[in-house]
Amino acid sequence: MQNRSLEVGVGLFLLAGLLALLLLALRVSGLTFGSFGGNEGTYRVYAYFDNSAGISQRARVAMAGVTIGKVVGVELDHQTFSSRIAMDIDKTVNFLPIDSTAAILTAGLLGEKYIGISVGGEEELLADGGTIHDTQSALVLEDLIGKFMLNTVNKDDKKAE
Amino acid sequence: MGYASTYAAELKGVTFKRGERTIFNDINITIPRGKVTAIMGPSGCGKTTLLRLIAAQLSPDKGEVWLTGKNLPTLSRSELFDMRKQMGVLFQSGALFTDLDVFENVAFPLRVHTKLPEEMIRDIVLMKLQAVGLRGAFELMPDELSGGMKRRVALARAIALDPQILLYDEPFAGQDPIAMGVLVRLIRQLNDALGITSIVVSHDLAETASIADYIYVVGDAQILGQGEPADLMDSDNPRIRQFMKGLADGPVPFHFPAPELRRDLLGET
Amino acid sequence: MRRTSLIERVRLLGRAWLDVVEAMGRSTLFFFHALFGARTAGSGLYLLFRQLFSVGVLSLAIIVVSGIFIGMVLALQGYNILVGYGSEEAVGQMVALTLLRELGPVVSALLFAGRAGSALTAEIGNMKSTEQLSSLEMIGVDPLKYIIAPRLWAGFISLPLLSAIFSVVGIWGGAMVAVDWLGVYEGSYWGNMQQSVDFHSDVLNGVIKSMVFAVVVTWIAVFQGYDCESTSEGISRATTRTVVYGSLAVLGLDFVLTALMFGDL
């Protein structure tokens, strides 16, 4: 009798531990079994950015704040010296017009970078392997500060004159 | 093989050191088969160490330990474990497994080494417990037993596999007179009834002398003397006489080696 | 009172070092013999089960309770800092990453050393001092296989599971504070977490860490028990050593492992 409760206790403990590992994998890290198997439920779309600073693999692709896919590759295009980003978009979102725009956005002030897609007006839709042409690059804080400083200096110069 | 039939165990020129201290220096002991041999000596002279040498829990720095025709220091670990099935040891504290009850303690060697059916194990265990007079206590846990009863259960466990040699480590230490009497009787009975070779390590003079056929007195890393109990009592050797008669001062001094008392007290250097 | 000359001191220092090296060698041999030595009579899976119970199941309570509280505190502290930047949504991500990468493996290993490790040392030390180990040996059963090995395996299996449970419970405790109490939007608590937590670099690395800790802590605990002086004082000293060495080893190794896994070395 005592032996039995011991075995049940150990069994429950092992189950709880394995369940915890499973929860960590699925619920916490958002690992889905699909992501092992490749791209069955998604289609591939490319976009060229002048500057894609802050975007890396697994970055979120969102539309109106809803995640619709993820970034699967970031590489330098040797012809245009711009950044070519490959995204896997969920098959259920198959109504993106070819003149949709992609922008690199930041979640909150310090949040991570993600790609936001807004819908265009064309009838023709993006297919697997299609490219988004209308893009807006990442906001680089250093550039912004640089411009601001330059403006201030210029203003000061004008005042001095 | 000639001696193997008369001697159950033999130590030849055994030297054992612990750190830089020599516990035994080139000692020779022969243990006759089927007899009760006692190894005696003052506390701290290494009696238990000697027992562990015979049981091969320690191995000597030099010399040979022969047991039933095998030289222990040359055996491999697994051969040793095999060898030990023929040996039973009664430890000073009894060493019962505290998480098992009396029955399971005695059954343990049988379960581990044999594939006997449960009913047979039960019969053997009850017989062994009967031999030590504790059949009625088979359901108790070790911590419910008195010291003497623990030792008797441990004895039942030691004889569970019908060993050829039984080693007793201080079987009488810290026992009341009744328990002591029971143990004395048991050791003698087991020895005679089962034809076991018994080796008793002890410093309890009267009890040991009453059951031993032959006694070795150990001290100062050597064998001080040997013989039958009566002979040793009348020994001329002052060291043996001091031990056998229980004198406070003699060749083994009462005082631990120290500078002269007057010098220590007056603080002279 | 006694004056020691310089040479004597150097000699003592050398002796102390030799002792340390010897103990390391002894513990390594002990470890490999227990795990990979020949099987002894009487060993079996049921021994492991009994140890899993006393090492793993009996540690569950302390792990779950501390996990909840640590998760709650993390959420509370994180919220108070993040709200200043308007990024309180990131609290889920912060709680999860902190727990998975660091606090889960480390704190559960420390608790394990205190709860299960000390119990293992005391138990084995006690068996040694009451000659139960010697008596096993004399019955022809190798105590390294019969007593030590199941305890080692039980520790190896239990701690990673315990630390996974610790992390899950902590994240749940964090959600309780952040979502139910502080009013962070539930979707962003979990969503932010899922985006930023990577299975390989965070979850798996945390599990690997706790596996390493499991080996080290259990090894120390079991060896200290087996190697202790067989007096009641010796056992209590060995138990203290288990907790101290175990904790220090966990914290030191944690730095090394973190540098290997997350630092660009």
Side-chain angles (χ1 to χ4, degrees):
Chain A
M1 210 44 222
Q2 189 214 350
N3 232 3
R4 194 166 160 70
S5 67
L6 181 140
E7 279 161 18
V8 171
V10 172
L12 284 179
F13 166 62
L14 292 180
L15 271 181
L18 293 176
L19 189 74
L21 280 174
L22 204 69
L23 272 178
L24 287 184
L26 299 182
R27 187 93 171 91
V28 176
S29 76
L31 188 76
T32 48
F33 290 108
S35 69
F36 286 118
N39 54 355
E40 277 143 49
T42 60
Y43 64 101
R44 182 69 52 91
V45 168
Y46 298 95
Y48 291 86
F49 290 92
D50 292 338
N51 188 335
S52 66
I55 292 287
S56 56
Q57 275 205 5
R58 292 184 59 86
R60 193 160 66 106
V61 178
M63 189 170 157
V66 181
T67 305
I68 57 167
K70 63 171 190 268
V71 171
V72 290
V74 181
E75 58 191 21
L76 189 66
D77 187 272
H78 290 280
Q79 263 95 54
T80 60
F81 298 114
S82 57
S83 151
R84 181 168 177 268
I85 289 182
M87 295 172 274
D88 274 355
I89 311 266
D90 206 280
K91 273 250 167 76
T92 54
V93 191
N94 55 359
F95 43 77
L96 295 178
I98 53 164
D99 64 340
S100 298
T101 58
I104 293 177
L105 303 172
T106 310
L109 186 61
L110 298 170
E112 60 188 312
K113 297 269 165 66
Y114 67 98
I115 293 179
I117 294 191
S118 16
V119 197
E122 286 279 340
E123 300 263 315
E124 210 177 323
L125 297 178
L126 276 172
D128 191 29
T131 304
I132 298 178
H133 296 285
D134 190 0
T135 61
Q136 191 184 331
S137 286
L139 208 64
V140 179
L141 208 56
E142 289 89 329
D143 290 352
L144 216 63
I145 293 171
K147 275 183 198 156
F148 175 72
M149 298 278 276
L150 209 63
N151 276 345
T152 324
V153 173
N154 286 347
K155 270 181 201 161
D156 286 352
D157 286 353
K158 277 178 193 162
K159 269 183 199 164
E161 282 170 16
Chain B
M1 284 308 285
Y3 60 81
S5 53
T6 40
Y7 296 126
E10 207 173 0
L11 276 71
K12 287 187 197 166
V14 167
T15 299
F16 183 79
K17 291 182 179 143
R18 184 162 283 163
E20 282 163 22
R21 215 177 114 222
T22 305
I23 312 275
F24 296 115
N25 188 15
D26 193 25
I27 58 168
N28 294 293
I29 291 181
T30 50
I31 311 273
R33 189 172 288 271
K35 296 270 169 64
V36 179
T37 307
I39 295 168
M40 309 196 67
S43 320
C45 74
K47 296 188 300 291
T48 304
T49 310
L50 188 62
L51 199 71
R52 285 177 190 265
L53 281 170
I54 298 174
Q57 288 195 317
L58 296 171
S59 72
D61 292 295
K62 226 166 55 195
E64 297 168 358
V65 181
W66 288 86
L67 206 71
T68 58
K70 284 184 185 129
N71 186 9
L72 295 184
T74 61
L75 295 183
S76 75
R77 204 177 157 96
S78 55
E79 283 175 312
L80 266 182
F81 278 111
D82 253 10
M83 177 83 215
R84 286 184 180 138
K85 288 178 208 163
Q86 306 170 21
M87 236 190 278
V89 178
L90 180 67
F91 285 98
Q92 198 166 347
S93 59
L96 294 178
F97 304 129
T98 39
D99 52 342
L100 301 177
D101 64 14
V102 167
F103 183 90
E104 285 301 324
N105 258 292
V106 180
F108 183 83
L110 296 166
R111 290 198 197 287
V112 168
H113 288 303
T114 66
K115 294 207 172 8
L116 294 176
E118 187 58 36
E119 307 89 70
M120 202 182 249
I121 289 184
R122 190 186 142 81
D123 291 350
I124 297 177
V125 170
L126 290 182
M127 265 161 54
K128 301 294 178 191
L129 281 172
Q130 172 76 10
V132 298
L134 287 175
R135 188 165 47 85
F138 73 95
E139 278 178 328
L140 297 180
M141 292 303 283
D143 50 11
E144 294 171 294
L145 300 175
S146 73
M149 281 154 83
K150 270 184 204 161
R151 241 170 255 196
R152 279 151 70 189
V153 174
L155 188 53
R157 186 180 64 185
I159 58 172
L161 286 174
D162 295 323
Q164 298 176 20
I165 300 175
L166 257 180
L167 310 175
Y168 300 87
D169 186 9
E170 299 282 5
F172 311 117
Q175 298 289 321
D176 65 68
I178 302 174
M180 213 149 16
V182 170
L183 280 164
V184 167
R185 218 186 83 191
L186 272 176
I187 293 174
R188 192 70 240 182
Q189 268 184 354
L190 287 174
N191 191 77
D192 298 346
L194 304 175
I196 297 175
T197 306
S198 311
I199 304 174
V200 181
V201 158
S202 174
H203 54 224
D204 289 288
L205 204 64
E207 289 73 25
T208 315
S210 72
I211 49 167
D213 297 313
Y214 202 78
I215 294 181
Y216 283 91
V217 180
V218 184
D220 251 359
Q222 286 162 355
I223 305 290
L224 293 178
Q226 50 179 299
E228 290 176 15
D231 300 343
L232 280 176
M233 278 296 187
D234 306 329
S235 170
D236 301 333
N237 186 328
R239 306 202 53 152
I240 297 178
R241 204 168 52 223
Q242 186 195 359
F243 180 75
M244 297 300 275
K245 302 249 155 60
L247 307 172
D249 212 352
V252 177
F254 172 68
H255 290 290
F256 193 80
E260 218 180 302
L261 180 65
R262 197 170 61 90
R263 279 195 7 213
D264 249 9
L265 289 182
L266 298 179
E268 293 168 19
T269 48
Chain C
M1 272 295 275
R2 257 180 230 170
R3 288 178 50 206
T4 41
S5 67
L6 187 65
I7 292 175
E8 181 70 5
R9 279 186 201 174
V10 171
R11 206 179 70 87
L12 284 176
L13 191 71
R15 164 71 68 78
W17 267 107
L18 272 181
D19 284 349
V20 170
V21 172
E22 193 210 338
M24 285 170 79
R26 206 153 17 108
S27 63
T28 310
L29 287 176
F30 160 86
F31 184 74
F32 283 102
H33 186 107
L35 290 183
F36 308 114
R39 276 172 60 98
T40 183
S43 59
L45 264 188
Y46 72 99
L47 291 173
L48 176 65
F49 267 87
R50 201 184 304 162
Q51 291 314 315
L52 273 176
F53 186 80
S54 61
V55 169
V57 177
L58 296 183
S59 308
L60 260 181
I62 189 175
I63 289 287
V64 167
V65 171
S66 357
I68 290 184
F69 281 118
I70 285 189
M72 286 165 73
V73 166
L74 277 178
L76 202 55
Q77 292 279 15
Y79 180 83
N80 283 335
I81 294 169
L82 290 170
V83 81
Y85 300 97
S87 327
E88 64 268 25
E89 273 71 30
V91 73
Q93 152 189 1
M94 200 207 76
V95 169
L97 284 182
T98 319
L99 279 171
L100 288 172
R101 289 185 178 180
E102 288 298 333
L103 291 186
V106 171
V107 175
S108 46
L110 293 179
L111 293 172
F112 185 81
R115 165 69 184 75
S118 61
L120 280 178
T121 307
E123 190 194 13
I124 296 171
N126 210 26
M127 282 185 181
K128 184 178 183 182
S129 78
T130 54
E131 294 174 309
Q132 290 183 50
L133 295 183
S134 299
S135 128
L136 269 177
E137 217 168 271
M138 290 315 302
I139 290 173
V141 172
D142 190 346
L144 283 181
K145 302 299 291 180
Y146 188 81
I147 298 287
I148 303 298
R151 284 167 173 75
L152 283 173
W153 284 117
F156 298 170
I157 296 171
S158 298
L159 184 48
L161 295 181
L162 286 172
S163 90
I165 293 173
F166 185 94
S167 296
V168 166
V169 166
I171 289 168
W172 177 69
M176 217 160 63
V177 168
V179 175
D180 300 340
W181 183 15
L182 297 173
V184 173
Y185 175 53
E186 192 176 0
S188 46
Y189 182 88
W190 295 107
N192 241 324
M193 188 188 299
Q194 287 183 4
Q195 262 165 54
S196 54
V197 174
D198 183 61
F199 181 72
H200 282 272
S201 71
D202 301 321
V203 178
L204 272 192
N205 275 346
V207 172
I208 291 172
K209 264 189 184 179
S210 67
M211 283 173 168
V212 174
F213 296 159
V215 171
V216 172
V217 170
T218 321
W219 182 6
I220 290 177
V222 168
F223 179 71
Q224 288 295 347
Y226 190 77
D227 202 49
C228 77
E229 210 180 301
S230 44
T231 58
S232 49
E233 204 194 8
I235 295 173
S236 77
R237 253 185 283 135
T239 312
T240 312
R241 272 204 299 269
T242 292
V243 177
V244 173
Y245 292 176
S247 309
L248 290 181
V250 164
L251 295 172
L253 270 175
D254 182 48
F255 174 74
V256 175
L257 288 174
T258 307
L260 284 177
M261 290 169 172
F262 301 110
D264 293 318
L265 286 184

